[in-house]
Amino acid sequence: MCIKKKGFNIAIDGLSGAGKSSIGYQVAKRLNFTFIDSGLFYRYIADRFYLDDTIQLNEIRLFKNEMIGSPSYYLQEIEFHLQEKTSQEKLQIGQKASEISKIPEIRNIINEIIQTIVKNDGYVVVGRDATTKILPNAKVKLVLEADFETRVYRRTKQLNIEEFGAIGKVFSDLLKHDVDAFDLILEAKKVATIINTSDLSIEQVVARILLRISWIEFGDNNMLHIIIFILFVFVYTLRVHFSEKIESN
Ligand SMILES: Nc1ncnc2c1ncn2[C@@H]1O[C@H](COP(=O)(O)OP(=O)(O)OP(=O)(O)O)[C@@H](O)[C@H]1O
Ligand SMILES: Nc1ccn([C@H]2C[C@H](O)[C@@H](COP(=O)(O)O)O2)c(=O)n1
């Protein structure tokens, strides 16, 4: 699908396991946009700078400048760094990420890095504050929703978890994330379009989003034509109405 990148960024919010990353990635691929998963920033910073129960805030501040200096290098580095982790390590990093995400200065640093990278157009940014804090001016703002059980099922499948104890861990982690994200998602729902993905496949959700984007793009490019067409129909109807009246008199 071909969308003019100018003035076009897409922000996708939602609770953990709602499908932000998988769907955001597919949407970006279809539009030839750049995909940014803000959750990976939290995970990367937690894994690198939260060691021995100490959060190295100074190092994180320095990292911000480094990343702003070479964004494309770090976007790749973050992805590779986390890809190499085992499921167990991913769960642990996720917990540390969740802890650092409660620190306002770290949230500001991550938002600032992403906003600097996204100074141009043609980005899909996902994360639980993407529509409200990271990209409040995005052209398209979406919140993906899914039932709690659906999200637990998706996450256990994603991490290849089968043991009962580990499923319980996924369950309690998701519940904790839901509580942490409650206010942000409530805010997001006020400004974004909500899509419930519980009964939809990834492809179906992507198709819905692309359709929505086409409508927005169509509206933008053709608004003047639509207004002229409505005016034309209006004037034509008036003419017919009055000529009938004149004839009957
Ligand atoms: N509509 C869907 N149907 C089936 N599976 C889905 C759907 N959406 C996502 N999934 C699967 O659910 C899992 C979790 O999705 P994903 O990682 O995209 O969620 P997320 O919202 O980004 O979560 P987090 O915020 O925790 O990173 C993935 O394995 C993904 O393939
Ligand atoms: N914009 C964001 C992105 C992520 N977080 C938190 C949520 C999780 O606790 C952690 C890791 O995110 P995930 O990879 O699971 O999406 O970081 C956040 O608070 N804001």
Side-chain angles (χ1 to χ4, degrees):
M1 197 169 139
C2 190
I3 292 277
K4 274 189 223 124
K5 289 185 180 175
K6 188 149 177 45
F8 221 109
N9 285 319
I10 299 164
I12 306 182
D13 258 301
L15 292 170
S16 215
K20 299 180 296 293
S21 317
S22 16
I23 284 156
Y25 175 78
Q26 289 299 331
V27 170
K29 202 167 148 194
R30 294 285 292 275
L31 296 175
N32 203 16
F33 278 26
T34 307
F35 174 66
I36 293 187
D37 182 351
S38 59
L40 293 186
F41 287 58
Y42 285 87
R43 287 171 182 267
Y44 180 79
I45 287 178
D47 196 38
R48 251 190 86 180
F49 303 113
Y50 186 10
L51 306 168
D52 305 325
D53 288 336
T54 313
I55 299 169
Q56 303 165 337
L57 253 176
N58 267 336
E59 306 292 322
I60 297 174
R61 289 183 193 121
L62 290 174
F63 170 74
K64 178 185 95 176
N65 298 334
E66 266 179 46
M67 173 135 197
I68 286 175
S70 357
S72 34
Y73 168 78
Y74 277 104
L75 283 178
Q76 275 194 348
E77 153 70 10
I78 288 175
E79 207 172 305
F80 289 149
H81 179 87
L82 295 164
Q83 258 170 13
E84 285 168 2
K85 304 290 174 188
T86 63
S87 295
Q88 191 55 33
E89 285 170 333
K90 281 181 185 163
L91 273 176
Q92 283 163 358
I93 296 171
Q95 275 167 354
K96 287 210 246 171
S98 165
E99 285 176 47
I100 68 157
S101 74
K102 290 177 194 143
I103 302 170
E105 182 175 352
I106 296 188
R107 298 199 73 82
N108 288 340
I109 286 177
I110 292 178
N111 289 353
E112 206 183 313
I113 296 174
I114 300 176
Q115 283 158 355
T116 313
I117 299 173
V118 185
K119 57 183 177 303
N120 300 314
D121 311 302
Y123 284 83
V124 177
V125 177
V126 305
R128 65 168 66 154
D129 55 356
T131 63
T132 51
K133 301 277 189 300
I134 310 179
L135 287 189
N137 297 323
K139 186 84 158 185
V140 180
K141 295 188 211 175
L142 304 166
V143 173
L144 299 184
E145 274 194 329
D147 305 335
F148 187 73
E149 315 86 83
T150 309
R151 290 185 287 121
V152 172
Y153 173 74
R154 287 178 184 169
R155 185 49 39 89
T156 47
K157 220 171 134 202
Q158 181 182 33
L159 296 171
N160 286 322
I161 288 172
E162 281 169 0
E163 315 88 67
F164 194 68
I167 297 175
K169 177 100 192 54
V170 169
F171 188 97
S172 59
D173 277 356
L174 272 185
L175 201 58
K176 238 168 48 199
H177 283 170
D178 280 12
V179 173
D180 291 343
F182 187 80
D183 288 344
L184 279 171
I185 297 298
L186 215 58
E187 283 302 303
K189 284 182 176 174
K190 291 182 195 157
V191 296
T193 304
I194 303 167
I195 300 180
N196 192 320
T197 73
S198 300
D199 299 320
L200 299 175
S201 67
I202 291 181
E203 293 70 31
Q204 285 172 320
V205 182
V206 171
R208 271 194 194 189
I209 294 176
L210 292 177
L211 184 67
R212 184 164 177 77
I213 292 170
S214 321
W215 268 111
I216 292 173
E217 168 88 337
F218 176 80
D220 271 4
N221 290 340
N222 297 289
M223 198 45 82
L224 189 63
H225 297 129
I226 293 170
I227 293 170
I228 292 171
F229 177 72
I230 293 171
L231 276 176
F232 174 78
V233 172
F234 181 68
V235 171
Y236 182 77
T237 317
L238 277 183
R239 253 184 77 124
V240 171
H241 178 74
F242 282 112
S243 57
E244 276 171 5
K245 251 190 159 177
I246 290 165
E247 270 174 31
S248 67
N249 283 340

